[in-house]
Amino acid sequence: MTVTAVEAPERPAHRDPNVLRWLGAYTASMIGDSVYFMALAWAAARTGSASGTGLVLAAGSLPRALLMLGGGVLADRLGPRRVVIGSDAARAVLVLSLAAILVLTAPTVGVLVAVALVFGAVDALFLPAVGALPPRISAPGQLARIQGLRALAARGSSIIGAPMGGVAVATGGPSLAFAAAGVLFALSLPLLLSLRIRPLAGPETSGEAAAAGKTPNAWRDLVDGLRYIRRHRLLGPLMLVIALSELGFVGPLNLGLILLSEQRGWGASGMGWIVAGFAGGAAGSALLLAVRGRVPRAGLVMGLTALVGAVGIAALAQVPTVALAAAVAAFVGLTAGLAGALCGALVQTAADPAYLGRVTSVSTLFTYALIPLSYPVTGAAIALWGTGPVYAVSAAVCGTGGAVGLALAALRRAELPR
């Protein structure tokens, strides 16, 4: 009599203790990020220099953009868990040290700029590594659900972190807020240390240099990773979709909303309702993906939701009332949020695990490098032509990203693992 072994079903991500430990660590780090930036903004404002405040807030973006690709190389060479643990530990030490300094002396622009530069450099290591961890802690069929859980954690962290930072600043000044951020970074460490890491299962080696018998180095690893993305039938097009979506989306939905609310006389409260609408829609899409775990015909759905979301971006500049604007923003958050989560899940399932740190660093680079570049361009364009034309152009750029996804058969037919 022959006994056939039956493979045990995958444990859903939201019931997997390993995934929940990662999610708890990620959430603590994200809340710490929000509290840190709130504390940094207030500490910079208390220096009394408007130009200095702007310099402090912009300082972290430069090392983050310059070092992001190197962070991906490091994640692939050392393993993403080691890099995440090291970067969170470094952020905890840095921010707690600043809190101690501010107890003894008033902040200066020079000190705050130095902290922002170091924090940005550490962030460049953290972001690719934390994005490369999910395939190492769960089965491929759960990666879409993990993307939904991650998006929910990110939204919740923003909702919790900003008020927490504000209360800490109001209660004990920036030093207390920095201390709270440092404690949150430290809280993630025991959770990260307890993660069980799955071995690499992809067919690739660590790079062509290793296959050729050469000693690998960081530059060769980086070039190898970029070449891997360029030659991949899905990853290259996905990076183009991410770049176009971020370029058309970030400026209008951040700086553009401020200018739109001022022009319409909606004020800060009106903008708050619009942002809340967008956050609610994005949370809804994240919850949908977290509950379902898989969306059939993911590539097709991603392209269609990106196109539909682009229409919502164009409509946002035309609605006459705050209520309608909030409703449209919720629609944009739902569609664009689902497209972004599916794009992230496809990246993680398509990439060989040995390259995932470098692949994640490229997709993250588009997000964090384009954000500071798009703000001045968006502001100047709105000053020249108004919000309507600028939102229309931004929508066209986002829509082009969706159209690319639909036009390429390999991406349009892409599926997530069952």
Side-chain angles (χ1 to χ4, degrees), residues 104-399:
L104 302 174
T105 183
T108 65
V109 170
V111 169
L112 295 177
V113 166
V115 169
L117 287 171
V118 176
F119 194 94
V122 177
D123 246 9
L125 306 182
F126 173 82
L127 292 168
V130 78
L133 265 176
R136 305 292 298 273
I137 61 174
S138 186
Q142 296 300 314
L143 291 178
R145 182 172 272 128
I146 292 176
Q147 286 297 307
L149 292 171
R150 182 182 178 183
L152 276 175
R155 295 296 168 194
S157 299
S158 298
I159 293 170
I160 296 171
M164 181 184 294
V167 170
V169 170
T171 303
S175 60
L176 179 60
F178 282 123
V183 169
L184 286 163
F185 293 138
L187 284 176
S188 72
L189 296 177
L191 295 171
L192 293 168
L193 288 167
S194 64
L195 287 180
R196 298 190 312 274
I197 300 298
R198 299 162 64 95
L200 293 178
E204 303 285 350
T205 66
S206 60
E208 295 177 1
K214 299 177 182 178
T215 301
N217 59 50
W219 176 253
R220 191 177 292 120
D221 283 354
L222 175 57
V223 173
D224 182 37
L226 296 175
R227 187 181 295 119
Y228 170 75
I229 293 171
R230 180 174 58 84
R231 293 176 176 175
H232 199 284
R233 59 192 291 269
L234 285 181
L235 292 177
L238 279 169
M239 295 301 143
L240 181 58
V241 171
I242 291 171
L244 289 170
S245 299
E246 291 293 335
L247 183 61
F249 182 81
V250 171
L253 267 295
N254 287 282
L255 177 63
L257 273 185
I258 298 173
L259 300 177
L260 179 65
S261 298
E262 286 184 351
Q263 289 182 4
R264 299 293 175 84
W266 295 339
S269 62
M271 180 185 168
W273 282 109
I274 298 170
V275 172
F278 171 77
S285 67
L287 183 62
L288 172 67
L289 199 56
V291 171
R292 286 187 58 87
R294 183 178 182 274
V295 175
R297 307 191 73 178
L300 177 63
V301 173
M302 181 197 71
L304 289 174
T305 50
L307 274 177
V308 174
V311 175
I313 292 175
L316 194 57
Q318 307 300 326
V319 293
T321 66
V322 171
L324 280 176
V328 172
F331 174 77
V332 172
L334 181 65
T335 52
L338 182 58
L342 288 174
C343 196
L346 287 170
V347 167
Q348 294 209 331
T349 54
D352 184 273
Y355 287 91
L356 193 52
R358 282 164 284 182
V359 172
T360 305
S361 72
V362 173
S363 62
T364 309
L365 176 67
F366 287 130
T367 303
Y368 282 86
L370 290 176
I371 283 177
L373 293 177
S374 65
Y375 286 169
V377 174
T378 301
I382 289 177
L384 287 173
W385 300 299
T387 52
V390 172
Y391 269 68
V393 171
S394 297
V397 174
C398 285

